[in-house]
Amino acid sequence: MKHLEEGMILYHGSYCPVENPDLSKCAQFKDFGGGFYLTSSKEQAKSFSKISSSRAKESGVISANERFGFISFYRLKNISELKTFYFDFADSDWLHCVVAHRKTNAFPELKEKMQPFDVISGKIANDDTNTTIVAYMSNLYGQMGSAKADDFCISLLLPERLKDQFCFRTKFAVDKLEFLKTEKVSLESHR
């Protein structure tokens, strides 16, 4: 798991360019709660721009004929005072944090513990892993929070294949992002 470093480049994939991230427009029930999500993987951002564009088309936010998504690039600056929390591994603590932010009243003590942090980072539980997380939250692998259910769920997620994500949860954190540029991503599938 990469940790934030001064000057690091991070990427955000979306259906539109994002020069000035607005936390009020960010979804609340994501892996590490409400915030602006970025990654150190340009490929992951590209993939998410396609997912975001598809959802925006379905909900009528953008035209069904739109042919491009976008990757916005940012450089980190003046990060020394950020309060950060890193999940270095996709382990039971990481899983419980993801579930605490996705499901009301699940692991409330962990959700409370995360409140003071400007940035939380760890592996991403993406659309490929969503079904597994939902099954875990439904107690299909055993009682949610039990060692048996945790271990089984994590083994299904193939954590070694998961990429990273950084959730910038506060305006203080978002202000540490210097917008650099946006690249278009073709939404057309190549045969």
Side-chain angles (χ1 to χ4, degrees), residues 15 37 51 54 77-78 92 110 127 134 148 159-160 179 186:
Y15 65 89
Y37 282 77
I51 293 167
S54 176
K77 58 181 179 134
N78 306 318
S92 60
L110 184 54
D127 282 0
V134 169
K148 175 188 169 200
E160 68 280 359
F179 175 78
S186 174

Side-chain angles (χ1 to χ4, degrees), residues 42-155:
K42 186 177 174 186
E43 276 304 306
Q44 181 173 297
K46 180 179 181 179
S47 173
F48 196 75
S49 73
K50 292 179 179 183
I51 293 167
S52 175
S53 296
S54 176
R55 290 178 181 158
K57 286 179 181 184
E58 288 172 10
S59 62
V61 172
I62 62 174
S63 164
N65 298 323
E66 180 59 55
R67 295 181 12 232
F68 295 100
F70 298 89
I71 300 174
S72 298
F73 293 59
Y74 306 87
R75 178 182 295 121
L76 286 174
K77 58 181 179 134
N78 306 318
I79 65 169
S80 61
E81 294 180 22
L82 282 178
K83 293 182 205 129
T84 57
F85 189 92
Y86 299 99
F87 287 100
D88 287 318
F89 304 100
D91 58 13
S92 60
D93 289 336
W94 165 84
L95 177 62
H96 295 174
C97 183
V98 169
V99 171
H101 287 99
R102 287 187 178 197
K103 183 174 178 153
T104 305
N105 299 322
F107 306 108
E109 67 289 341
L110 184 54
K111 190 172 181 179
E112 182 66 29
K113 179 184 169 185
M114 294 292 116
Q115 278 305 105
F117 295 102
D118 297 307
V119 179
I120 300 175
S121 65
K123 300 289 188 176
I124 183 169
N126 59 21
D127 282 0
D128 296 335
T129 61
N130 195 47
T131 304
T132 304
I133 301 279
V134 169
Y136 173 82
M137 291 188 302
S138 300
N139 296 313
L140 292 180
Y141 307 138
Q143 182 62 40
M144 184 175 67
S146 70
K148 175 188 169 200
D150 290 356
D151 292 345
F152 188 74
C153 181
I154 291 167
S155 74

